[in-house]
Amino acid sequence: MSTADETSAAAIDRAVTAGEREGRETRVAEVSRTYPTTPEDLWDAVTRAERIGRWFSPVTGDLSLGGEYQIEGNASGTITDCDPPRSFSATWEFGGGVSWITVTVAPDGDGARLGLEHVAEVPEGPDDFWDTYGPGAVGVGWDLGLHGLSLHLAHPEAERVIEDEESWVRSDEGRAFVTASSAAWAEASVRFGTDRESALAAGARTTGFYLGE
């Protein structure tokens, strides 16, 4: 892995926690990263559709409180809470399931820190998806988003910071990033309490999934 890849992957803090929502047990994937910009600029980058499309995916709809959104080729949902320029929450509806995200922006030294929590209910009965892929199933995707955001903030004039994400993921740089991200999420799973062997095996399967192997 190049120094740039190591720096980018290592810049993200990750955690897995347990929670509860409306009486149901949940698992929470948490990511955060500090960027060399102002909180106002970071908030604008993660809430204005024109800028979101430059580093994440094109988004349509109403990005105000109560509005419904659609991310191209990804999730849709409803904005359920908004406290600009500090936080917003939304449903994350994908593949027939519903989970929830909360995004926060706060000053951090000379920069600004982005935090994201992705909350999902623990299914009743065996959790085959978690056992197979662990938190990296969603975590690697968010890591890729935070990496894209860092590129956008460094090059805000670029129409798209990564023109073809699928091709980039399969490049040497992308493969290195995904591999490091999966490994980091496996370690977060171990800290959560998952058996190390199982966590590492799930991380390896996540890497294979994202790399198409």
Side-chain angles (χ1 to χ4, degrees):
M1 180 187 297
S2 70
T3 301
D5 296 326
E6 289 176 346
T7 300
S8 184
I12 301 171
D13 292 322
R14 307 164 183 85
V16 180
T17 60
E20 183 179 293
R21 184 182 180 90
E22 298 179 353
R24 293 287 303 275
E25 182 184 359
T26 61
R27 289 193 183 96
V28 187
E30 303 174 5
V31 293
S32 60
R33 178 172 178 169
T34 296
Y35 296 95
T37 189
T38 64
E40 293 77 14
D41 182 51
L42 183 57
W43 176 261
D44 187 69
V46 300
T47 60
R48 186 152 58 93
E50 187 273 334
R51 291 187 72 179
I52 295 170
R54 291 172 180 248
W55 60 268
F56 192 55
S57 293
V59 58
T60 55
D62 180 3
L63 301 186
S64 61
L65 182 62
E68 298 181 354
Y69 70 91
Q70 173 68 61
I71 299 172
E72 185 177 295
N74 204 317
S76 61
T78 302
I79 310 299
T80 58
D81 186 72
C82 190
D83 181 21
R86 290 176 287 271
S87 68
F88 71 86
S89 299
T91 61
W92 187 263
E93 302 173 31
F94 183 76
V98 180
S99 51
W100 303 268
I101 61 169
T102 296
V103 175
T104 58
V105 172
D108 188 8
D110 294 331
R113 191 164 186 84
L114 180 76
L116 183 145
E117 294 185 351
H118 191 153
V119 180
E121 290 184 352
V122 177
E124 297 179 356
D127 190 351
D128 294 335
F129 189 80
W130 176 273
D131 292 340
T132 300
Y133 297 107
V138 297
V140 172
W142 288 121
D143 285 3
L144 289 166
L146 267 61
H147 175 61
L149 178 57
S150 73
L151 297 177
H152 167 67
L153 293 171
H155 305 283
E157 74 288 348
E159 189 65 26
R160 281 285 296 170
V161 291
I162 298 176
E163 288 294 335
D164 185 341
E165 185 169 288
E166 286 192 15
S167 296
W168 180 83
V169 165
R170 288 165 175 76
S171 70
D172 289 344
E173 180 184 6
R175 291 175 65 88
F177 183 91
V178 167
T179 300
S181 172
S182 292
W185 278 107
E187 291 298 331
S189 186
V190 171
R191 293 193 298 272
F192 174 68
T194 307
D195 168 75
R196 173 171 288 276
E197 182 177 354
S198 298
L200 294 180
R205 287 189 288 269
T206 297
T207 299
F209 171 80
Y210 274 92
L211 299 183
E213 297 175 346

